[in-house]
Amino acid sequence: MENAMFCYQCEQTFGGKGCTKSGVCGKTPEIANLQDLLIYQLKGISCYARPLIEQGKKIDKDVVKFVENGLFTTLTNVNFDAEVHVRLLKEAQQIKEAIREQAPEGEYPEAATYTLSETKEDMLKDSVKAGIMHNQDLDEDIRSLRSTVLYGLKGISAYGHQARFIGFQDDQVDHMYFLGLEATTNDKLTLEDMIRMTMRVGEASVQVMKLLDEANTTRFQNPTVNKVNVNIKKGPFIIVSGHDLHDLEMLLEQTKGKGINIYTHGEMLPSHGYPELKKHKHLVGNFGSAWQNQQKEFDEVPGCILMTTNCLMKPRDSYKDRIFTTSVVGWDGVKYIDVKEDGSKDFTEIIEKALELGGFREDFGKKEILVGFGHHETLSHAEEIVKAVKGGVIRHFFLIGGCDGARPGRSYYTDLAQMVPKDCVILTLACGKYRFNKLDFGTVAGLPRLLDVGQCNDAYSAIRIATALADAFDTDVNSLPLTIILSWYEQKAVADLLALLSLGIKGMYLGPSLPAFLSPNVFQYLVDTFNINPISTPEDDLKAALKQAAL
């Protein structure tokens, strides 16, 4: 069994059912099974934490931080280093034993009572019991909802981790990790209980996105509209990928005056909207496109790459010596930059390497794109927007965004964006925007037709914009001339979807394929309750959205 695995947490899972031989993401069975066991350990910790939370006791923030990190480490395209997982598994066992001492006497599930084996080989043998499909007798709808809860929590952990790194945390969100994980082990919970828990995870997702928005806008100020250069500039450089603005901030401080150009990549593009980041003149632009093109785009680049959060793919040999990871990201044999006791990081090694490589020899290209339409910036135009809608100048809003992937069918999102009529506005966020964000959509009512709202966590900004517009029209979000079309790839998109559902938002389109972890009954429940539509063709979906709006 050691060489088998089962994982269906991302959109590209093999055959739309599950990866069983190796992960499409590059995960080996060894990593997949160690990750299963790590989640099993986190569930065990949570079984002891839940009664303590219910007694009103505080869970040590170091334990919260560990569980959050553990969840994030197992998210798609984050960490592929077996030794890191073994270390985390051992630490989890110590934490579990310590929290067991504080927990009340009683019957606990096997995840709680399990004792970790000493060697990696034995851990891998034990991991069979931690597998998603281990209990063959489990009701498929319960299994589906347990998986949905877990993946929602993984998404939340990514946002919680970013906020905590700059000193922001929320007790309700912190408690949710434990309550949600415990629910996935609790055989007493009915289908209705698990649906309620799924919605609670959605509420926590809204809460954590609000927290991260507050963290980012407090530290880096509210994003404002900014033109971003998407060309190459002469000189040494470092490309920063991932999502963590604080890592970028520290690198910008440490490269000041050193003649190094800093480019964002992937989900870091929205950084250019934040005043406290864009004030650094050597933050010169955005390199490349979405995460799934990195192997081709990073191939033999004469500079360095820093991966701050997820979306790491197997580094090619042509750049393996110049890619660095930090935070929860890891790949065996890739240089890792750790955080120091005081929360700072020393980027000297990557800086020296970038200078040694020398960078691009000349400037290349002339193109700029607009970023920075967060809720604060967009709502500063609320009066004009409301007037334009009432006057029939703006007919409809389309939110087209989410996590991108490499599957060919994703051209749907480009085609759809190009087909959107000229009297409609497109809001976009997350890396799904790379499907169309370099195209020219022109303006409507004096506003750009394409408004880049930000990162995946800025689904919160989109919610704020929609809610404010609904208030202005004295209606609710579901009655707005707004259609939400989401692409999903990994677990942050699951957290975003659950957030929107928990707010009662209906009629969303989801694609490019349906999650393999949604059982037919659970999906039917979502269709019946929230009118979720699987995407079809751009033409048909556009027609349906505009027809619906005209009713």
Side-chain angles (χ1 to χ4, degrees):
M1 271 309 284
E2 285 161 70
N3 294 324
M5 63 177 274
F6 184 83
C7 181
Y8 60 7
Q9 69 176 6
C10 87
E11 192 270 331
Q12 293 189 169
T13 195
F14 187 72
K17 292 189 172 67
C19 293
T20 52
K21 292 195 171 77
S22 68
V24 172
C25 65
K27 194 160 61 171
T28 60
E30 177 183 67
I31 296 292
N33 293 330
L34 290 172
Q35 289 191 347
D36 284 349
L37 195 59
L38 179 56
I39 292 294
Y40 192 66
Q41 287 281 64
L42 300 182
K43 288 177 179 179
I45 291 167
S46 302
C47 292
Y48 294 122
R50 184 192 149 192
L52 294 172
I53 290 167
E54 285 170 349
Q55 289 170 4
K57 291 182 179 159
K58 278 267 191 199
I59 304 294
D60 188 308
K61 286 300 171 193
D62 285 341
V63 175
V64 177
K65 197 172 166 181
F66 178 82
V67 171
E68 186 173 74
N69 274 3
L71 283 165
F72 194 4
T73 299
T74 66
L75 193 134
T76 303
N77 290 89
V78 173
N79 199 299
F80 300 83
D81 191 331
E83 294 319 306
V84 169
H85 289 84
V86 169
R87 194 170 70 240
L88 289 171
L89 280 160
K90 288 178 176 170
E91 199 177 333
Q93 185 63 33
Q94 290 171 337
I95 288 171
K96 189 163 71 172
E97 285 166 12
I99 202 164
R100 185 186 288 150
E101 295 294 311
Q102 305 163 43
E105 296 277 316
E107 290 232 347
Y108 288 95
E110 197 186 349
T113 56
Y114 164 74
T115 302
L116 185 72
S117 296
E118 289 296 316
T119 65
K120 182 170 78 173
E121 289 61 42
D122 286 339
M123 289 176 197
L124 286 166
K125 284 177 191 155
D126 291 353
S127 71
V128 174
K129 71 177 74 171
I132 296 162
M133 296 296 176
H134 177 59
N135 179 359
Q136 293 291 320
D137 302 326
L138 187 65
D139 177 85
E140 78 160 341
D141 299 330
I142 292 282
R143 189 193 322 273
S144 175
L145 288 165
R146 284 181 177 184
S147 295
T148 307
V149 164
L150 172 61
Y151 302 150
L153 291 172
K154 285 190 183 197
I156 288 171
S157 75
Y159 301 152
H161 180 277
Q162 258 175 280
R164 199 178 308 274
F165 193 31
I166 44 180
F168 285 71
Q169 55 88 31
D170 179 282
D171 286 348
Q172 272 178 301
V173 173
D174 291 354
H175 286 165
M176 199 63 222
Y177 294 136
F178 302 106
L179 300 177
L181 284 167
E182 189 276 339
T184 67
T185 70
N186 192 331
D187 294 332
K188 294 192 183 93
L189 298 181
T190 64
L191 211 54
E192 287 69 30
D193 293 332
M194 285 307 293
I195 286 170
R196 265 197 300 278
M197 181 53 77
T198 309
M199 288 303 114
R200 283 181 70 186
V201 170
E203 287 159 18
S205 180
V206 175
Q207 191 63 24
V208 78
M209 288 195 280
K210 181 183 177 191
L211 178 75
L212 182 51
D213 180 75
E214 191 191 334
N216 285 338
T217 55
T218 302
R219 180 145 191 142
F220 309 113
Q221 295 179 15
N222 278 299
T224 55
V225 176
N226 194 26
K227 284 182 177 171
V228 182
N229 158 48
V230 289
N231 314 301
I232 282 166
K233 284 205 172 297
K234 184 181 175 180
F237 65 91
I238 298 169
I239 297 163
V240 186
S241 193
H243 307 74
D244 207 303
L245 305 184
H246 185 33
D247 278 326
L248 174 63
E249 179 189 36
M250 288 189 287
L251 183 67
L252 286 166
E253 292 290 345
Q254 289 177 39
T255 46
K256 229 186 242 173
K258 296 218 163 95
I260 294 177
N261 291 323
I262 305 294
Y263 297 89
T264 55
H265 173 266
E267 280 278 67
M268 275 294 191
L269 170 62
S271 327
H272 294 271
Y274 288 94
E276 285 300 304
L277 296 172
K278 69 178 178 185
K279 70 180 185 189
H280 294 276
K281 295 289 173 261
H282 61 300
L283 178 62
V284 296
N286 189 71
F287 178 88
S289 54
W291 67 271
Q292 73 273 7
N293 304 320
Q294 66 187 257
Q295 288 168 321
K296 194 169 75 204
E297 291 176 349
F298 294 166
D299 199 28
E300 296 183 341
V301 288
C304 292
I305 304 122
L306 175 67
M307 300 297 298
T308 65
T309 54
N310 69 313
C311 298
L312 171 68
M313 294 170 81
K314 182 181 181 176
R316 289 185 179 171
D317 289 342
S318 68
Y319 62 87
K320 197 173 180 181
D321 66 333
R322 55 193 74 181
I323 189 167
F324 292 71
T325 64
T326 188
S327 184
V328 290
V329 194
W331 191 285
D332 185 29
V334 165
K335 286 268 169 62
Y336 178 76
I337 297 166
D338 212 341
V339 65
K340 296 198 286 199
E341 282 292 311
D342 64 359
S344 69
K345 295 182 184 181
D346 182 357
F347 290 111
T348 306
E349 200 176 347
I350 189 169
I351 290 167
E352 287 175 353
K353 182 80 178 168
L355 288 168
E356 178 199 319
L357 287 163
F360 295 120
R361 302 205 165 184
E362 56 191 351
D363 293 356
F364 180 76
K366 272 187 185 174
K367 186 169 178 63
E368 291 178 322
I369 55 175
L370 278 180
V371 301
F373 288 96
H375 58 88
H376 187 267
E377 176 70 37
T378 305
L379 291 175
S380 70
H381 301 280
E383 215 173 300
E384 302 142 65
I385 294 170
V386 171
K387 199 173 151 194
V389 174
K390 285 182 173 168
V393 181
I394 294 177
R395 176 167 36 149
H396 201 75
F397 295 89
F398 288 89
L399 173 62
I400 308 174
C403 300
D404 202 10
R407 210 172 270 224
R410 288 180 177 268
S411 60
Y412 166 95
Y413 296 93
T414 318
D415 298 341
L416 181 81
Q418 288 178 299
M419 285 177 196
V420 166
K422 299 270 186 284
D423 57 356
C424 301
V425 172
I426 301 168
L427 298 164
T428 191
L429 54 88
C431 60
K433 64 172 154 258
Y434 282 103
R435 292 275 160 191
F436 47 80
N437 71 338
K438 288 175 187 168
L439 303 174
D440 185 5
F441 288 93
T443 60
V444 62
L447 279 172
R449 281 187 56 232
L450 181 70
L451 305 179
D452 185 342
V453 179
Q455 295 182 327
C456 38
N457 45 281
D458 292 311
Y460 175 72
S461 260
I463 292 163
R464 285 279 298 269
I465 293 165
T467 311
L469 289 177
D471 289 348
F473 288 110
D474 201 16
T475 183
D476 64 1
V477 171
N478 290 321
S479 305
L480 282 176
L482 166 71
T483 304
I484 299 174
I485 299 161
L486 295 178
S487 63
W488 80 282
Y489 171 69
E490 41 85 322
Q491 297 80 68
K492 292 201 290 300
V494 177
D496 289 3
L497 178 66
L498 293 181
L500 293 166
L501 296 179
S502 78
L503 293 166
I505 292 174
K506 297 186 175 179
M508 289 184 280
Y509 288 79
L510 183 64
S513 64
L514 293 175
F517 54 82
L518 287 184
S519 66
N521 288 338
V522 169
F523 183 67
Q524 196 53 50
Y525 170 81
L526 294 178
V527 170
D528 295 343
T529 315
F530 299 103
N531 188 21
I532 277 200
N533 306 287
I535 62 169
S536 59
T537 66
E539 294 86 350
D540 290 350
D541 291 346
L542 191 60
K543 207 182 293 175
L546 291 169
K547 186 178 169 192
Q548 186 73 29
L551 296 177

